[in-house]
Amino acid sequence: KLDGSITALSQGSDDDIFQNPQNYSEQEVVDAILDEREAMRIDPLVRLLIENEPGLYNFTVVSAMGVITEGKRGRELSAALKRLEEERDVQTIRSDTGTARSFEFNASKIEEAIQTAVKLQKPYGLLGYSQGCANALTAETLLLSGTPSQQRMLSSDSGLVCRQLLFAAVNGSIHGPATDMKVHRLIVMCEEFFKYQQGYFSRAFTTTVLEWINNILDSAPFQKFVGGAQSMLTAGGRAFWREAQNLPHVPTCTLRGVLENHTTPESLEMISNMLTKQSGSALHDSQVHVYDAVGHPMYFRNRNGRLLERCDMGGAVQRTHHWSPLSEEVEILRTKRDIDQASFDCAKDRHVFPWVDVNVRFGIIKYVQQSRKGVESDETGSGATTTVR
């Protein structure tokens, strides 16, 4: 039986053992785990799991959160970012982005945050979450294609050195085209319904209803919402990647997730099942498909897309959902089942710390060594010394 289990493992069935352990004996599961541990031990990349040496990092984080956010007042990943500042002196500047706003509006707010980061005279990295990833890349585009002073905010000694994209919606979501089709059908159904009702209501009443609908559609909040919704549609994504310009030497880390039934928040069940039905695959985090949540375009090819693909470091798929960075923000949606399953109590540090530490490990982010006198700081590996008065 042991020989049979080893043969099965050699044929590449170990993934099936971990996904469907009920179909195997306990001995086969134990053998698979031991073989997996040995493969991890001899993998040189596992050495990256060893914690970096103590010290402070010469680095600043500029964050851009998702389609629904409170901007500067947001609390996304607040605990993890606070720990990063306490342990490594890495400050986080939150961009004052808006809910369901256009790429250009949110990019302008991210540019303001970058201006603040540059004043700290430290290199910075862009941390994007969901639609915030596309907003951050748009801000980079505006700076790179802008004035010389804007370009210096990217390429100076206090410029952009790395990116982190969490559950990136840069390639849109199936929810966008599917909702667009449903809206079109709804408009047709409403038109047929109201045409029939015209014979039962006065002209004055009909005119009032039409004016009321037109006022809603012409209102500023609705137009802002429509502008933000373009990012989830195919046409909006095509325009986004067509105009994108990004630095070629900046590594991009990504975090992708695939949810599981026993950890899915109850508030995400319906939207998760909708995405599974619409896309034909359950490999998603409830809002973005795992193959789309990468740091480069998947459905649009140009020079900048190939550049970003070379910058994309990739990353293992996490067992988590799209709302894993959230905690206090979803307290109103947390149910008893969510509490019992700890659906929102997943590790928050994994969204930030591995990205920063791996860039330090490879010298992208430098250490800052402070002398005992407290008047000098030296960037390790750069040879540059700055005197602080």
Side-chain angles (χ1 to χ4, degrees):
K1 194 168 187 179
L2 181 59
D3 294 338
S5 64
I6 295 177
T7 302
L9 285 172
S10 65
Q11 294 175 352
S13 63
D14 48 339
D15 288 341
D16 186 63
I17 288 180
F18 295 131
Q19 292 176 3
N20 303 291
Q22 68 276 6
N23 298 334
Y24 299 85
S25 67
E26 293 184 4
Q27 182 62 53
E28 290 173 323
V29 175
V30 170
D31 293 337
I33 293 174
L34 293 177
D35 286 353
E36 188 77 11
R37 291 177 62 185
E38 179 62 19
M40 291 176 61
R41 189 187 68 81
I42 63 177
D43 187 349
L45 291 179
V46 175
R47 302 299 183 272
L48 296 176
L49 297 175
I50 301 175
E51 187 177 5
N52 288 351
E53 296 181 359
L56 306 180
Y57 296 159
N58 186 40
F59 186 62
T60 303
V61 175
V62 176
S63 68
M65 295 305 168
V67 64
I68 301 177
T69 179
E70 295 183 9
K72 287 184 177 180
R73 300 181 300 277
R75 301 288 297 169
E76 301 92 342
L77 296 173
S78 57
L81 294 173
K82 182 179 179 181
R83 283 191 291 272
L84 182 63
E85 182 174 4
E86 292 174 349
E87 296 180 13
R88 301 294 189 176
D89 193 32
V90 175
Q91 299 182 42
T92 300
I93 301 174
R94 293 184 179 271
S95 304
D96 196 18
T97 53
T99 297
R101 298 300 299 270
S102 64
F103 286 145
E104 293 75 16
F105 174 85
N106 286 331
S108 66
K109 297 299 181 181
I110 297 173
E111 183 177 349
E112 294 175 2
I114 291 176
Q115 292 175 353
T116 304
V118 171
K119 293 178 181 178
L120 298 177
Q121 298 184 352
K122 292 182 178 181
Y124 65 89
L126 294 174
L127 171 63
Y129 166 47
S130 190
Q131 188 189 354
C133 301
N135 295 330
L137 293 179
T138 302
E140 185 180 344
T141 297
L142 296 179
L143 293 177
L144 189 57
S145 61
T147 64
S149 61
Q150 288 178 306
Q151 295 177 7
R152 282 194 294 271
M153 289 194 289
L154 287 177
S155 56
S156 66
D157 293 337
S158 302
L160 177 64
V161 294
C162 57
R163 313 180 188 95
Q164 168 78 326
L165 307 182
L166 306 176
F167 314 105
V170 293
N171 288 299
S173 171
I174 298 295
H175 286 307
T179 303
D180 188 45
M181 293 179 61
K182 294 172 184 176
V183 169
H184 286 173
R185 293 177 183 176
L186 177 63
I187 292 174
V188 173
M189 292 173 59
C190 289
E191 184 178 5
E192 294 175 349
F193 172 77
F194 285 117
K195 279 185 177 180
Y196 177 80
Q197 298 298 328
Q198 277 184 327
Y200 296 91
F201 294 97
S202 66
R203 181 181 178 85
F205 179 79
T206 303
T207 302
T208 301
V209 172
L210 291 177
E211 290 179 352
W212 177 69
I213 294 176
N214 286 331
N215 289 337
I216 293 177
L217 298 181
D218 292 338
S219 63
F222 183 82
Q223 293 298 321
K224 293 175 182 178
F225 171 78
V226 171
Q230 290 295 320
S231 61
M232 306 304 294
L233 301 178
T234 304
R238 186 181 297 111
F240 164 70
W241 287 121
R242 184 180 62 244
E243 304 296 332
Q245 299 182 43
N246 301 99
L247 293 176
H249 59 274
V250 177
T252 303
C253 298
T254 59
L255 190 150
R256 300 179 291 165
V258 173
L259 49 76
E260 299 171 300
N261 292 332
H262 64 280
T263 57
T264 301
E266 199 165 357
S267 53
L268 287 180
E269 277 190 344
M270 185 183 74
I271 195 172
S272 171
N273 292 330
M274 286 174 57
L275 187 54
T276 299
K277 183 70 173 179
Q278 292 165 172
S279 66
S281 171
L283 299 177
H284 57 77
D285 58 20
S286 77
Q287 299 184 37
V288 182
H289 200 278
V290 68
Y291 299 115
D292 294 339
V294 293
H296 59 274
M298 292 293 294
Y299 310 109
F300 189 87
R301 304 295 295 177
N302 60 9
R303 177 182 176 275
N304 189 75
R306 293 189 293 270
L307 179 152
L308 279 177
E309 189 172 3
R310 291 193 295 269
C311 292
D312 195 343
M313 305 292 291
V317 178
Q318 304 279 324
R319 293 184 173 187
T320 186
H321 52 83
H322 196 82
W323 286 359
S324 62
L326 309 180
S327 180
E328 299 176 9
E329 302 83 357
V330 293
E331 191 64 36
I332 190 174
L333 301 175
R334 198 189 303 258
T335 65
K336 183 180 183 302
R337 196 188 75 176
D338 294 336
I339 297 175
D340 295 339
Q341 296 181 348
S343 298
F344 292 106
D345 296 332
C346 56
K348 308 299 182 183
D349 286 0
R350 63 175 168 177
H351 300 88
V352 182
F353 275 78
W355 161 54
V356 176
D357 287 341
V358 76
N359 278 281
V360 172
R361 185 68 60 91
F362 286 98
I364 305 298
I365 300 173
K366 310 296 183 182
Y367 274 96
V368 174
Q369 293 183 345
Q370 294 182 341
S371 65
R372 292 185 178 181
K373 296 181 180 180
V375 296
E376 293 181 349
S377 63
D378 176 33
E379 293 185 8
T380 303
S382 66
T385 302
T386 303
T387 302
V388 181
R389 300 294 183 186

